[in-house]
Amino acid sequence: MRRKLVRQLDQPLPAAPDDKGSRALRPSDAEALAVLMFSAYRGTVDDAGEGPSEARAEVDRLLGGGYGGVDFAASEVIERDGRVVCAMLVTVYEGLPLVAFSMTDRDWKRRGLARGGLLRAMHRLRAGGATKVQLAVTAGNTPAENLYEALGFVG
Ligand SMILES: CC(C)(COP(=O)(O)OP(=O)(O)OC[C@H]1O[C@@H](n2cnc3c(N)ncnc32)[C@H](O)[C@@H]1OP(=O)(O)O)[C@@H](O)C(=O)NCCC(=O)NCCS
């Protein structure tokens, strides 16, 4: 079951940490995002056995507007040692900002990268005038549910 969550942005938002490895998303990140997606989702509740080529197709779908137009300014990737290890991919879906994907490389999980990236993305959205942000999460995806609920997303 997919849970739809929303976070009001006109309510207080924790400060976003700086990250020297954070930068705006670029269309040329497609292959790096596919590698990241494959690593991040492997072994999670959302893993249905897809391989690297399915991950690339999913990234191409996202960048092609399949989840709404990509908001390159609000989205970000985080690099470590020249490699993309985390991404917050934001689109505009049915007129509202949507966090279409948040993902962290399996070797970089639980170090606060997604929390920091999501907070920076929310601050950028708010600075751009958005009053809420939406996303969908699979019920039982405990890491993601905990991350979102800790940042004030509610169902
Ligand atoms: C969900 C995901 C993006 C979190 O990335 P991350 O960089 O490891 O997350 P953070 O280190 O910023 O964690 C922030 C908070 O999220 C929660 N969290 C993250 N991983 C968790 C885990 N394995 N178990 C329980 N809570 C977890 C915790 O509340 C954590 O805060 P804490 O470490 O102070 O307790 C990552 O697990 C991932 O890539 N999962 C696969 C892709 C996915 O399911 N994306 C979400 C789709 S809706």
Side-chain angles (χ1 to χ4, degrees), residues 40-41 44 46 102-104 109-115 136-137 141 143-144 146-148:
Y41 279 92
T44 72
D46 290 317
S102 68
M103 47 197 185
T104 301
K109 287 184 182 181
R110 213 66 195 266
R111 302 189 198 197
L113 294 185
R115 181 179 188 278
V137 60
N141 185 350
N146 287 357
L147 166 70
Y148 300 140

Side-chain angles (χ1 to χ4, degrees), residues 35-108:
V35 171
L36 169 61
M37 182 178 285
F38 180 62
S39 166
Y41 279 92
R42 196 146 44 106
T44 72
V45 292
D46 290 317
D47 182 3
E50 299 95 336
S53 61
E54 281 100 343
R56 179 60 200 250
E58 191 66 355
V59 167
D60 289 344
R61 181 175 175 200
L62 171 98
L63 293 174
Y67 296 95
V70 177
D71 185 338
F72 284 93
S75 300
E76 73 169 64
V77 301
I78 304 173
E79 294 182 334
R80 292 288 183 270
D81 305 324
R83 206 161 62 87
V84 174
V85 297
C86 182
M88 289 295 139
L89 305 179
V90 182
T91 66
V92 181
Y93 186 76
E94 295 178 348
L96 273 184
L98 168 74
V99 179
F101 290 94
S102 68
M103 47 197 185
T104 301
D105 182 285
R106 59 188 293 127
D107 294 334
W108 288 87

